[in-house]
Amino acid sequence: MTETRSTQLESTAYDVVVLGAGPVGENVADRTRAAGLTTAVVESELVGGECSYWACMPSKALLRPVLAQADARRLPGLSESVQGPLDAAAVLARRNSFTSDWKDDGQVQWLEGTGADLYRGHGRLTGPRTVTVTDADGGSRVLTARHAVAICTGSDARLPDLPGLADVRPWTSREATSAQNVPGRLVVVGGGVVATEMACAWQALGSQVTVLVRGKSLLNRMEPFAGELVSEALTEAGAQIRTGTSVSSVTRENGTLLVVTDGGERIEADEILFATGRVPRTAGIGLETIGLEPGSWLSVDDSLRVTGQDWLYAVGDVNHRALLTHQGKYQARIAGAAIVTRAAGGSVQTEDWGAHAATADHAAVPQVVFTDPEAASVGLSLAEAEQAGHRVRAVDVDLSSVAGASLYADGYKGHARMVVDLENETIRGLTLVGPGVGELIHAATIAVTAQVPISRLWHAVPSYPTIGEVWLRLLEAYRDA
């Protein structure tokens, strides 16, 4: 008689299971643990995720010396001493320090300090409320969730379907932010945030940069003047920009890349960066076991709960609402609060601006592009507001007319636009472009989020002489229109 042995995997029950230990997953876990719910977090790479090692932190570490040098060069008495090239090795070493040399010990310590249990390995759904984790040695265990599973797996760079592209080893955002050497010639494909920031950084570090943009302009999701001013500055810095241009083929021979455009132009380069969008990291995580499509963006309500699933949440990039780290962390705080409230049998507040509604994703998403000049925006552009059917007026101010801007730098170039809702005289959106404007955007975020009336903003007196005095100039321009 043959003995039969059970192959059932060891199972551990938690209140909440989180897939992904980036900033979004960490924040979901922090909120649920703070409320006393047992929480497991599953991560297949580095705890801390994309932002910590391949996106926000390393890219801004690369860009900070670039912007500081650019500002210094606009100041007599200082410009003469900063005309030489950046010390690329020192910039890259500082960048490495901000990624902790791609080691996650500190992030692990923080996560474990919340009381969450960390599981290293690939996690995938194997049914409702069930996640199976396979570690690097092939061992598996099952985690079950009493209340919620939160998918916080983020997104990956999207590469075009070009024959043989994998063979030329193109850069994505990961390679662009982690490269240890400055390429002599770099082709950047794309015109969005990653493309413009990395073009700015590597041009300043010594690369000859060529930017290939399929559309008509850079930063086409912002007000038109944003892309125009950034393009002008990149060109002045030595970069070449080709709009209305796509890549037909890329080949590499003896280390040199040959890039052929749809117009037949042939460009030689050492590296090529494709910054052409993102795809959700939802393939291979078992969505098919619960009737969802692998590799798809996940549709959610404002509490971040997946459509048709009362136990499943999709937080951060995977829901395609606002692919920004700070918005993902905001969603995580909302989702964590919703999970906790539902677990306790309470009623969630899903009305606009309620405690369990990610309303800002629709109405007040802030963003800073850390190029030279910086571009910052929150809320709706003029075109977006008009397309949404709002009755609005755009108010424009040349930032160089503000005393604080002229003190900030000689030859200051910048622009501001405020989009005012004429029905209730509140601000629908604001965009600023110019050196140093990134630190100004939170004031606009508060005004848009709180729907502060223009009549009350008259009493918010900006300090003189700061660039922030643009608020007074905008209000005056609206009054005098």
Side-chain angles (χ1 to χ4, degrees), residues 84-336:
L86 288 168
D87 183 340
V91 173
L92 296 178
R94 183 172 186 265
R95 183 273 321 270
N96 292 354
S97 73
F98 272 93
T99 66
S100 301
D101 292 309
W102 290 271
K103 297 175 183 177
D104 64 359
D105 302 44
Q107 297 264 14
V108 170
Q109 184 178 9
W110 179 89
L111 182 62
E112 291 179 342
T114 69
D117 289 342
L118 173 63
Y119 290 85
R120 298 273 196 179
H122 177 72
R124 65 187 309 274
L125 294 165
T126 47
R129 303 174 188 267
T130 305
V131 173
T132 298
V133 183
T134 304
D135 62 29
D137 297 324
S140 296
R141 70 182 305 150
V142 175
L143 309 178
T144 59
R146 300 183 188 94
H147 298 295
V149 173
I151 298 176
C152 309
T153 48
S155 63
D156 288 313
R158 180 175 61 199
L159 288 171
D161 186 17
L162 290 174
L165 183 61
D167 297 333
V168 307
R169 303 180 302 282
W171 278 11
T172 66
S173 53
R174 283 197 169 195
E175 289 76 21
T177 56
S178 63
Q180 297 298 323
N181 297 290
V182 179
R185 300 159 298 177
L186 173 65
V187 170
V188 177
V189 184
V193 176
V194 173
T196 52
E197 287 189 346
M198 290 299 94
C200 181
W202 289 107
Q203 178 70 37
L205 287 169
S207 292
Q208 173 55 59
V209 172
T210 301
V211 184
L212 305 180
V213 189
R214 184 172 59 182
K216 296 180 181 179
S217 64
L218 301 179
L219 300 175
N220 63 4
R221 294 188 177 182
M222 302 182 83
E223 297 284 8
F225 59 82
E228 292 167 6
L229 287 169
V230 171
S231 179
E232 179 184 329
L234 275 171
T235 301
E236 289 178 356
Q240 299 179 42
I241 300 175
R242 312 267 201 279
T243 57
T245 303
S246 297
V247 175
S248 293
S249 67
V250 185
T251 55
R252 189 188 292 269
E253 186 173 343
N254 298 323
T256 298
L257 285 167
L258 177 62
V259 182
V260 180
T261 71
D262 55 352
E265 183 180 6
R266 299 164 68 88
I267 304 169
E268 290 191 349
D270 299 292
E271 301 292 350
I272 184 169
L273 162 62
F274 282 95
T276 50
R278 309 288 294 180
V279 294
R281 196 176 291 158
T282 58
I285 64 169
L287 292 182
E288 68 280 2
T289 67
I290 55 171
L292 298 176
E293 182 182 351
S296 65
W297 301 105
L298 296 173
S299 175
V300 297
D301 62 20
D302 275 358
S303 71
L304 292 311
R305 190 164 59 174
V306 175
T307 303
Q309 309 287 338
D310 65 359
W311 55 274
L312 185 64
Y313 293 73
V315 194
D317 282 12
V318 290
N319 60 43
H320 207 233
R321 287 164 67 105
L323 277 67
L324 296 160
T325 295
H326 48 273
Q327 287 303 121
K329 292 164 72 173
Y330 161 71
Q331 290 179 12
R333 295 191 292 272
I334 298 293

Side-chain angles (χ1 to χ4, degrees), residues 386-401:
E386 291 177 337
Q387 289 166 6
H390 302 299
R391 191 167 70 88
V392 294
R393 179 192 300 166
V395 181
D396 291 273
V397 168
D398 183 342
L399 266 175
S400 66
S401 68

Side-chain angles (χ1 to χ4, degrees), residues 336-348:
I339 290 168
V340 168
T341 298
R342 287 178 173 133
S347 297
V348 296

